[in-house]
């Protein structure tokens, strides 16, 4: 994936838009700042680490000939140094704490952007850790924190992995199937299912 901010010259406003071709997808969404969008590029061809200076060229290669406003977004790209590019990678660690150090957020349980819950789970981790530290010594608190949070992170990682394969279909047939599915899934009747799978329910007792 790669992303960077661009001025909203496209009238996209606060609407989130996905444009998909086999093997590549462009997404735009508002940042909350006036007239600013994030242009997000997802593609199946894992880039590995790409030096900052080469990122824009890499994107131009991968998205050559792509439709919609893709060429304009690439033309509006900022300095290569300001382009974020990385492989989408979940982090799974056998232990989240050692001695006096405990990890929270992406450092121990990165969900990736597919789950769209990385921020809330990072904050949840901080909250739960603080709660446990207020109640016990650090050894006990770290163990309780991990016991409470890990199952929630594992569940969200599993859901994200299931969905990741379908995020950017590799073929025209896959894309047609995704479009068809989207038409059904976006109906109200499917809302409870979507909420169960991707919903950011509170992990705290009600
Ligand atoms: C393109 C993209 C879109 C996303 N979309 C969403 C979304 O819609 N919803 C959602 O919930 N999540 C989303 N995420 C995931 C979300 O951004 C992360 O899960 C979240 O930021 C994790 O928070 P964190 O505090 O654990 O880590 P980070 O936000 O990565 O914070 C770590 C901080 O540590 C700093 N740092 C690193 N090394 C050092 C060092 N040696 N010394 C000092 N500081 C250091 C870094 O600069 C950074 O500021 C998205 C991620 C990406 C990449």
């Amino acid at each position: 994936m790669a992303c960077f901010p661009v001025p909203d010259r496209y009238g996209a406003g606060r609407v989130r838009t996905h444009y998909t071709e086999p093997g590549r997808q462009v997404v735009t969404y508002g940042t909350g700042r006036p007239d600013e969008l994030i242009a997000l590029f997802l593609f199946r061809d894992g880039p590995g680490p790409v030096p900052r200076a080469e990122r824009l060229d890499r994107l131009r290669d991968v998205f050559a000939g792509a439709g919609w406003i893709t060429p304009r977004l690439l033309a509006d790209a900022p300095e290569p140094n300001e382009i974020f590019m990385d492989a989408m990678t979940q982090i799974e660690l056998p232990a989240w704490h050692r001695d006096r150090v405990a990890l929270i957020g992406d450092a121990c349980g990165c969900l990736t952007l597919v789950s769209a819950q990385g921020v809330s789970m990072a904050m949840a981790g901080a909250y739960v850790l603080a709660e446990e530290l207020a109640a016990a010594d650090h050894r006990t608190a770290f163990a309780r924190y991990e016991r409470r949070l890990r199952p929630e992170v594992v569940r969200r990682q599993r859901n994200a992995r299931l969905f990741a394969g379908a995020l950017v279909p590799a073929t025209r047939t896959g894309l047609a199937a995704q479009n068809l599915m989207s038409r059904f899934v976006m109906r109200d009747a499917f809302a409870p299912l979507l909420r169960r799978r991707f919903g950011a329910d509170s992990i705290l007792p009600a």
Side-chain angles (χ1 to χ4, degrees), residues 81-98:
N81 264 348
E82 290 176 40
I83 298 176
F84 174 87
M85 184 180 271
D86 202 357
M88 214 184 281
T89 312
Q90 290 189 334
I91 305 295
E92 295 173 6
L93 288 184
W96 290 3
H97 57 89
R98 188 190 298 165

Side-chain angles (χ1 to χ4, degrees), residues 1-4 16 29 38-42 84 86 88 104-123:
M1 72 175 131
C3 66
F4 48 77
R16 185 182 176 110
Y29 55 92
I38 293 293
L40 171 64
F41 299 82
L42 301 167
F84 174 87
D86 202 357
M88 214 184 281
I104 57 173
D106 278 7
C108 56
C110 178
L111 305 171
T112 74
L113 68 89
V114 180
S115 82
Q117 294 181 49
V119 171
S120 45
M121 289 308 287
M123 293 199 311

